[in-house]
Amino acid sequence: QQQVKQSPQSLIVQKGGIPIINCAYENTAFDYFPWYQQFPGKGPALLIAIRPDVSEKKEGRFTISFNKSAKQFSLHIMDSQPGDSATYFCAASKTDGPDKLIFGTGTRLQVFP
Amino acid sequence: NAGVTQTPKFRVLKTGQSMTLLCAQDMNHEYMYWYRQDPGMGLRLIHYSVGEGTTAKGEVPDGYNVSRLKKQNFLLGLESAAPSQTSVYFCASRAPGLFNEQFFGPGTRLTVL
């Protein structure tokens, strides 16, 4: 069962563009929504995360927008760079326990110079 | 600190063979996790542990066993490998407490022929 749906599957942008990756979740008990970045041959690494008590969080060029009523959240990458080319995964979990992350299916981002 | 390490990095098995994947972390984390990553499916939780001597099933536990005899190590076993277990396996660890990051290892690429 796919509890976190992610789109698009792949994304190609020019340097300086603003790619947007969207995720939707089903379980209203989720209260932690991280995004992970994965480079080829490496493990995922936490990029940025948000809790449902805020609608937006920014860290550098990365922004999460969160819409609790729609059960959706998205990642925006400002002024994208070739070094941002990676696979991005959204995830969700309930933090009142062992924090079992439910991952989206991933978005492969390519940023061309 | 090495963080989370995984052994081996690559392995090829024949159907029916067994093997053990080793995960080690030097961050004194209580929680540890095993995920598998397959194209188009994101990361799925196999088993997890909330402390030494404890283990629990995740989303896709069938065909796998785990053990956590020492706090720093989490072993994933395949008793009789099947081609459907061809995947990239990631281990992660996390400190208890709200909203703490899961740190991932570099992965083990397993092929079952």
Side-chain angles (χ1 to χ4, degrees):
Chain A
Q1 86 228 41
Q2 186 64 49
Q3 295 189 51
V4 178
K5 295 184 179 179
Q6 183 172 348
S7 62
Q9 188 173 359
S10 63
L11 199 49
I12 300 173
V13 299
Q14 290 271 325
K15 177 182 174 181
I18 306 176
I20 300 172
I21 304 170
N22 300 299
C23 285
Y25 64 97
E26 299 170 2
N27 190 340
T28 56
F30 289 151
D31 60 357
Y32 177 61
F33 302 90
W35 284 88
Y36 280 80
Q37 181 188 54
Q38 184 181 30
F39 293 104
K42 305 292 185 183
L46 181 66
L47 183 64
I48 186 174
I50 196 168
R51 289 176 264 174
D53 53 346
V54 297
S55 60
E56 185 176 277
K57 183 175 182 180
K58 291 183 180 180
E59 286 187 4
R61 296 184 292 107
F62 300 92
T63 299
I64 300 178
S65 298
F66 186 82
N67 185 329
K68 188 173 181 178
S69 61
K71 295 187 287 184
Q72 295 176 347
F73 58 110
S74 59
L75 176 70
H76 301 231
I77 305 176
M78 304 301 179
D79 188 27
S80 59
Q81 301 296 312
D84 297 329
S85 297
T87 300
Y88 293 81
F89 293 95
C90 62
S93 71
K94 295 184 289 182
T95 54
D96 62 342
D99 187 34
K100 296 182 290 181
L101 288 172
I102 305 298
F103 282 88
T105 51
T107 297
R108 185 183 176 203
L109 172 66
Q110 295 175 273
V111 181
F112 286 96
Chain B
N1 288 352
V4 179
T5 58
Q6 293 183 231
T7 309
K9 288 184 170 53
F10 304 94
R11 185 72 186 267
V12 178
L13 290 179
K14 294 181 179 179
T15 297
Q17 287 185 319
S18 64
M19 78 163 293
T20 300
L21 282 66
L22 171 64
C23 175
Q25 51 94 5
D26 61 1
M27 296 175 282
N28 202 35
H29 286 168
E30 291 290 337
Y31 296 170
M32 295 187 75
Y33 311 81
W34 275 108
Y35 294 89
R36 61 177 289 173
Q37 183 176 26
D38 303 291
M41 302 191 74
L43 291 95
R44 293 179 293 167
L45 183 64
I46 303 171
H47 286 280
Y48 64 98
S49 168
V50 298
E52 182 178 314
T54 72
T55 63
K57 294 180 180 180
E59 185 184 356
V60 288
D62 294 342
Y64 305 95
N65 56 76
V66 288
S67 63
R68 183 104 181 264
L69 299 180
K70 293 183 178 180
K71 184 177 183 180
Q72 64 267 35
N73 296 336
F74 195 26
L75 278 62
L76 178 72
L78 287 73
E79 291 186 347
S80 179
S84 61
Q85 294 177 305
T86 294
S87 187
V88 182
Y89 292 87
F90 289 99
C91 175
S93 73
R94 171 182 173 267
L98 295 179
F99 314 119
N100 284 331
E101 175 182 354
Q102 285 193 25
F103 291 87
F104 282 79
T108 294
R109 182 174 293 276
L110 175 66
T111 301
V112 183
L113 302 176

